[in-house]
Amino acid sequence: MPNIIAQMIEQISKEKNVDPTIIIRAREDAMIAESRKFYKPTEDILLYGKWSTGYVTGGSTAGIPYDAETVKSAEAGFKGEFLNRRLRTNLALWWADYKNVQGPQTATSFAPQIAQITGIPNLAGSIGTFILDLGSRRSKGFEFEFDAAPVKGLTTGGSLSYTENKVSDVPHIFLAVVGTYTGRLNIP
């Protein structure tokens, strides 16, 4: 029966010039889903959209628990070739909403907090790295790129992208050590 359904979807997709895809994977404690749609109004233009969910299992390290990380995301885009395929453009708009972001941390930096959580005063010195819940993060942005071959033997291109992150629900244990956390990595 699944083969008949797959063949029907494939036939409809060819007739309508649309490629619908739905992928669902079940885990013991979570379901991961992805839906993609493609549409080609002409041979040189592709429009697409994608929605998905993701999951990283929770657990504990040396008795320090952390929750499962989840994400819901969406992307929409355009790919086109113009001027007899001498100009290629790609544009993508995307959004992602993360919950319980997991981050590896050096245990010795959190020694007092680990002792408080576990009741074992010197545990931080023996575990090295542990996973810490870093709160929630909402990200969005766009990417644009182009490649052009204006004359034979000359190719040029460029790209532009923008990303915006907003963090929330950052746990007090993390803020006690690092102070203010904005979700950005500051590199001098």
Side-chain angles (χ1 to χ4, degrees):
M1 185 67 142
N3 287 340
I4 294 171
I5 294 171
Q7 290 171 355
M8 289 172 56
I9 290 173
E10 185 177 323
Q11 183 61 34
I12 291 168
S13 299
K14 286 179 183 175
E15 290 173 8
K16 302 291 184 184
N17 206 21
V18 175
D19 178 19
T21 304
I22 298 174
I23 301 167
I24 298 176
R25 292 177 298 241
R27 295 180 57 151
E28 185 175 308
D29 49 358
M31 184 178 295
I32 300 168
E34 181 176 306
S35 176
R36 292 181 261 170
K37 302 281 185 195
F38 301 92
Y39 176 63
K40 287 190 79 162
T42 70
E43 185 63 32
D44 296 328
I45 294 176
L46 171 72
L47 303 171
Y48 70 92
K50 175 181 148 184
W51 177 86
S52 63
T53 64
Y55 176 83
V56 178
T57 188
S60 71
T61 303
I64 304 164
Y66 54 94
D67 291 330
E69 178 179 330
T70 60
V71 63
K72 294 178 184 175
S73 65
E75 180 177 340
F78 166 89
K79 295 177 183 280
E81 293 182 336
F82 307 98
L83 303 174
N84 214 18
R85 296 194 173 168
R86 289 183 291 146
L87 175 64
R88 177 179 300 141
T89 61
N90 297 321
L91 173 66
L93 307 169
W94 58 272
W95 160 88
D97 190 12
Y98 296 86
K99 303 288 185 211
N100 303 315
V101 175
Q102 297 174 4
Q105 304 297 319
T106 304
T108 54
S109 299
F110 291 86
Q113 291 82 5
I114 291 172
Q116 182 181 5
I117 291 170
T118 64
I120 304 171
N122 297 321
L123 181 61
S126 63
I127 62 173
T129 303
F130 73 105
I131 303 297
L132 182 64
D133 177 359
L134 300 178
S136 299
R137 181 177 73 222
R138 178 167 285 178
S139 303
K140 62 183 176 180
F142 72 85
E143 299 170 356
F144 173 76
E145 59 185 24
F146 76 94
D147 292 306
V151 294
K152 188 174 182 175
L154 176 64
T155 303
T156 186
S159 63
L160 174 68
S161 64
Y162 171 78
T163 300
E164 179 181 298
N165 284 307
K166 291 188 179 181
V167 295
S168 61
D169 306 322
V170 179
H172 296 293
I173 183 175
F174 188 66
L175 294 176
V177 175
V178 299
T180 303
Y181 177 65
T182 63
R184 294 179 56 183
L185 179 61
N186 296 317
I187 301 174

